[in-house]
Amino acid sequence: MAFTVKLSALATQHIEDAYSWIQETNPGALDEWFNGITNALQSLKNLPYRCSRIPETGELNQEIRQLIYFPRRRVVFLSCCLPWMSIS
């Protein structure tokens, strides 16, 4: 089953901010990073349930999952229907 991946305004802003920061600090890595985050987000269309639940799930009373991207970044999303995403 294919899911739809929609980015929230906040997620889009986080990606744009990260893009700008990498462009300023390490422009040689920009294409690899951008292609990687794009592929990671696209991969959620087919296999969103492979990702673990976030530790905060119990407090929020919703099943929210995370896709770890780079050591200190995660894509957070609702696993039922993927209506929003946020990069944190």
Side-chain angles (χ1 to χ4, degrees):
M1 175 180 193
F3 290 84
T4 300
V5 176
K6 296 178 183 178
L7 295 178
S8 69
L10 180 60
T12 301
Q13 185 62 54
H14 285 179
I15 291 170
E16 290 172 357
D17 291 347
Y19 184 95
S20 295
W21 183 80
I22 294 168
Q23 189 174 37
E24 290 175 16
T25 60
N26 190 2
L30 188 58
D31 287 340
E32 180 181 353
W33 176 85
F34 186 76
N35 291 334
I37 191 67
T38 300
N39 290 336
L41 293 171
Q42 293 299 319
S43 76
L44 293 174
K45 287 182 177 182
N46 297 315
L47 297 169
Y49 295 105
R50 76 183 189 280
C51 301
S52 63
R53 292 185 179 113
I54 64 170
E56 304 92 335
T57 292
E59 300 168 20
L60 302 172
N61 296 321
Q62 290 187 27
E63 186 172 302
I64 302 174
R65 294 182 177 261
Q66 63 185 354
L67 171 65
I68 304 300
Y69 185 75
F70 276 17
R72 296 181 307 191
R73 299 282 181 232
R74 66 181 181 167
V75 175
V76 177
F77 61 96
L78 293 174
S79 59
C80 66
C81 49
L82 303 178
W84 61 273
M85 306 187 90
S86 181
I87 309 292
S88 64

